Amino acid sequence: MSQTASPNQQDVPLRRVELVESPKWTSKMANPVPCGVAGFALTTFALGLFTSGQIRATNLALVLGLAAFYGGLTQFIAGWFAVARGDLFPAVFMTTYGAFWFSFVALFLFVPRRFVLGVPAAGHI
């Protein structure tokens, strides 16, 4: 018994099915992933140098500046550009780490050390 194609089955190449059509302008948008990953890498590297003692505590502004703007703001914006392009994994990766760096800076600047470290302040022992 031979199988023949029905009139509805034509030789049509398979297409990628998209749930949401991307706007036409996203095809002209550059890939934001390298910028977001660079922000993640440099900020994590600077924080690692600080926690290992390679960067002195007097240079803390360097770490916090990188965390707030290059690690936080730049990654968060790059994540939303990835959302606009329809790239789900980079969007989640970059927006989450951008929010993490924002919270890191906020915890460091606005929460007293005794609450973060769980030890009483030196004057209250």
Side-chain angles (χ1 to χ4, degrees):
M1 178 183 251
S2 67
Q3 294 180 346
T4 59
S6 66
N8 293 336
Q9 295 176 339
Q10 299 173 358
D11 292 329
V12 178
L14 294 175
R15 285 185 14 184
R16 179 179 167 196
V17 177
E18 295 186 21
L19 298 177
V20 178
E21 287 290 326
S22 298
K24 299 289 184 221
W25 55 268
T26 58
S27 63
K28 296 179 183 178
M29 185 186 304
N31 191 357
V33 174
C35 182
V37 171
F40 172 75
L42 183 60
T43 308
T44 306
F45 181 69
L47 181 62
L49 289 176
F50 179 74
T51 56
S52 68
Q54 303 299 319
I55 296 178
R56 296 183 186 148
T58 55
N59 296 333
L60 182 62
L62 169 73
V63 176
L64 291 180
L66 280 172
F69 294 102
Y70 197 46
L73 186 64
T74 302
Q75 260 187 292
F76 203 74
I77 292 172
W80 281 106
F81 273 102
V83 168
R85 284 177 49 112
D87 298 334
L88 183 62
F89 179 76
V92 171
F93 166 74
M94 288 183 282
T95 53
T96 327
Y97 269 110
F100 163 77
W101 288 115
F102 284 145
S103 65
F104 174 79
V105 172
L107 281 173
F108 200 89
L109 292 179
F110 302 119
V111 176
R113 303 289 179 266
R114 62 189 168 135
F115 293 123
V116 174
L117 299 176
V119 296
H124 300 290
I125 295 177

